[in-house]
Amino acid sequence: MFTLAEVASLNDIQPTYRILKPWWDVFMDYLAVVMLMVAIFAGTMQLTKDQVVCLPVLQSTVNSKAQAGTSGKADVTTVETTTGQAEAASMRTVSSGSAPTVTPDVPLSRATSSQYQPTESGQALKKEQKDSSGRKTNLDFQQYVFINQMCYHLALPWYSKYFPYLALIHTIILIVSSNFWFKYPKTCSKIEHFVSILGKCFESPWTTKALSETACEDSEENKQRLTGAQSLPKHVSTSSDEGSPSASTPMITKTGFKFSAEKPVIEVPSVTILDKKDGEQAKALFEKVRKFRAHVEDSDLIYKLYVVQTVIKTVKFIFILCYTANFVNAISFEHICNPKVEHLIGYTQFECTHNMAYMLKKLLISYISLICVYGFICLYTLFWLFRIPLKEYSFEKVREESSFSDIPDVKNDFAFLLHMVDQYDQLYSKRFGVFLSEVSENKLREISLNHEWTFEKLRQHVSRNAQDKQELHLFMLSGVPDAVFDLTDLDVLKLELIPEAKIPAKISQMTNLQELHLCHCPAKVEQTAFSFLRDHLRCLHVKFTDVGEIPAWVYLLKNLRELYLIGNLNSENNKMIGLESLRELRHLKILNVKSNLTKIPSNITDVAPHLTKLVIHNDGTKLVVLNSLKKMMNVAELELQNCELERIPHAIFSLSNLQELDLKSNSIRTIEEIISFQHLKRLTCLKLWHNKIVNIPSSITHVKNLESLYLSNNKLESLPAAVFSLQKLRCLDVSYNSIAVIPIEIGLLQNLQHFHITGNKVDILPKQLFKCVKLRTLSLGQNCITSIPEKVGQLLQLTHLELKGNCLDRLPATLGQCRLLRKSGLVVEDHLFDTLPSEVKEVLNQDTSIPFANGI
């Protein structure tokens, strides 16, 4: 026999699951335990004490009444009394375990008849009644045991025999149904994870800190309202509608969270800073909550399973009540039994008593009462399940009571679990909501960030860039540390991969800041900070994936001089994604766009009147429409790189103020249009490098003002004499082509300072080359040159000479006459350098601190 503890263990759940047990589930659990005790008690009683006692119904009573009809009522009464005494004596005899006194081999009817013969005297009758204690039935003990067993199974109703076991089975089913959602694997794992996270969120120090800060902010805001709005600065709005900032306010907002620059900055009383361990645990909790929400909100299995088990319990209650109520009256103390074993016993009918009838009836009534209470609670549960949509949960009340107005509403199983928790204690959901808020997560990151990145640590990361400016580069942080804005002498600030960057009013104390980099960093700014940036920022770099990441306030920086945009400005269907209007950028001089454009954005014409430099770096997308270039009348520098251009765009010939043109990395094959450059009187620099140009037309001689010509990485095989008629040419780069001969006309370029012909097929250097006495840079590497003429010593201003990768066996000693040349500027193999005389090597090894001009 199993114990009560073993059965009750079916109702056990983990102690932490109690937060998911509403009052009705707890009450039903207690009722189930009581019903279990009733069933086990009834079963124990039945196994140990349940029995029936049967006596035969004597037919002689009827016969004696018929034979002695004239004897009077007194004789009949005596006979009936005697018969009753005999039955009682028989019952006592069976109960005591002794064999009854019977007259063997004498039929009962005959003995009875002889006992009441009218010839007997009254004294004989009284004597017989005195000697006998009851009516003799002529049955032995084994026959009584046999008939008791027979009548237990035949005369006793089945419900009287099996009620304890049925009650036990029903109760076990109800217990299993109540806790099945805690045991089913697909729901148990989710519930266990939820309870674990909920407990950690409830006990997290960050929850207490966040809610306490909310209370402090509420008290401060109330105090602020009491003092009146007159004391607020003009730029601070007292409007409570933070969700609709004015059109002039440059703010970027995210779904669910709106940061208003109009909201006054309130000093919140400091709360104890979280230690590093608590901060890391809180960060991990935010991540766990985010993943759990994504996992659980996809399905409603827990909700459906709870509804199903509640319906099963309700149907079970109705079923038990219906069939049990019919059997209450069937449990009786007395029963008539007709076993049909007259050939064994000699009697056809027996009257039996059930000794457990009274106890079982009371237990059954108690069980029905408990079932009724249980059933009504099930009905209430069903009413609660369908009264409100439990697959939706709103944190509206929490949003109203706290500053975390971005706490999202949840759905499906996540919502149902929170509804269940509310039945236990609503404080759990309130504290749990803190970890669903992006504002709360950002506050935590901000606190941890400021604790980690102190002023001293940031100072160590400040470096000087190529322009000798103090620069700070912050990469992949959760935000911008407050201490950054205490670096008042910073010139350049780079923020990269900081998605929650916020620029506060403290930036106004960084008076030296003129350059800002935002790499995948859609920074938000407060109104005061924006005012400072609008007036002081000169250079801005914005790198983005989608044009929507460009902060709106960028288009309002009226004093901005340089704007660099790097990112996707073209959609998948090849439709332009328009930039916002640039007309507010009234002082913009340089616009650099690195993207995948098919045409020049029309908004660029907004800054056309004052734009002096336009750079478009495509990723290989063909730039087709260039008509907007005609409006860039003041552009002095134009770069169209990697735009898959096949010819020089005609729109360029309208740019009368153009001084430098760079068409690098295109697919230009011919430059016959170069004659049109003669109308561009100010054009001094032409860069056609990294193309597919085969030859240079003689019409290039008409571009008389050209000072720099870059034709490297093309397919040139020769240099026409027309090139050397450009008397103002100071830089000529024809590196990495297939040129075999340097024309002798090169000596005509008396102003040539930089000549690059690296990576060609030149084998002889003409002596006329060394008539270009102003040469500072001469790159002759990776050719087939076998000797260097002695006249190289005539290049007195030479500072850089590249000879590496040729077929030289020695170097001329006249290199020592190039008084500005040093070993660091001589690019040659070591063994060739060793062929120089020692005095020349000594000259070349002198101090290299002598200043010289950069070549290019």
Side-chain angles (χ1 to χ4, degrees), residues 115 337 367 375 497 586 789:
Q115 186 176 356
C337 176
Y367 186 76
L497 291 174
R586 301 167 187 169

Side-chain angles (χ1 to χ4, degrees), residues 391-516:
K391 292 198 291 184
E392 299 175 2
Y393 189 91
S394 174
F395 284 95
E396 184 64 30
K397 187 175 181 181
V398 181
R399 290 194 290 263
E400 292 175 356
E401 294 178 353
S402 68
S403 62
F404 306 128
S405 58
D406 69 317
I407 300 177
D409 295 337
V410 295
K411 58 184 180 179
N412 289 335
D413 281 343
F414 200 4
F416 176 67
L417 290 173
L418 289 173
H419 279 295
M420 296 295 283
V421 170
D422 279 350
Q423 300 301 316
Y424 182 80
D425 190 348
Q426 292 185 353
L427 184 59
Y428 275 90
S429 297
K430 181 177 180 181
R431 296 176 74 92
F432 189 72
V434 172
F435 287 88
L436 290 171
S437 168
E438 286 189 15
V439 178
S440 172
E441 186 173 8
N442 293 337
K443 281 187 176 181
L444 172 64
R445 290 174 178 172
E446 182 180 345
I447 291 175
S448 302
L449 186 69
N450 292 330
H451 186 67
E452 178 182 359
W453 289 88
T454 60
F455 178 83
E456 292 75 14
K457 184 175 181 180
L458 288 170
R459 174 60 71 182
Q460 294 174 1
H461 284 74
V462 175
S463 61
R464 287 200 172 270
N465 61 13
Q467 290 77 31
D468 198 31
K469 294 181 178 180
Q470 291 197 54
E471 178 181 297
L472 176 62
H473 186 188
L474 299 178
F475 178 74
M476 289 188 69
L477 298 182
S478 58
V480 182
D482 290 342
V484 168
F485 307 105
D486 294 328
L487 300 170
T488 55
D489 55 347
L490 203 63
D491 299 309
V492 181
L493 177 60
K494 291 185 178 181
L495 305 177
E496 185 173 358
L497 291 174
I498 305 178
E500 300 296 332
K502 296 177 184 177
I503 301 178
K506 285 181 65 178
I507 197 174
S508 58
Q509 63 192 24
M510 302 176 69
T511 54
N512 289 341
L513 184 66
Q514 293 189 350
E515 185 175 340
L516 178 63

Side-chain angles (χ1 to χ4, degrees), residues 16-82:
T16 53
Y17 285 3
R18 67 181 182 277
I19 61 176
L20 294 176
K21 301 281 284 187
W23 66 266
W24 53 81
D25 276 353
V26 176
F27 196 17
M28 284 191 286
D29 286 346
Y30 283 117
L31 287 175
V33 171
V34 175
M35 289 189 288
L36 191 66
M37 294 176 65
V38 169
I40 293 178
F41 176 71
T44 305
M45 293 289 292
Q46 195 170 41
L47 289 174
T48 56
K49 297 184 179 181
D50 191 31
Q51 62 181 355
V52 296
V53 176
C54 299
L55 288 178
V57 177
L58 303 177
Q59 297 297 329
S60 60
T61 305
V62 180
N63 296 336
S64 60
K65 286 182 180 179
Q67 294 175 3
T70 58
S71 300
K73 295 181 179 179
D75 294 335
V76 175
T77 303
T78 303
V79 172
E80 290 176 355
T81 304
T82 306

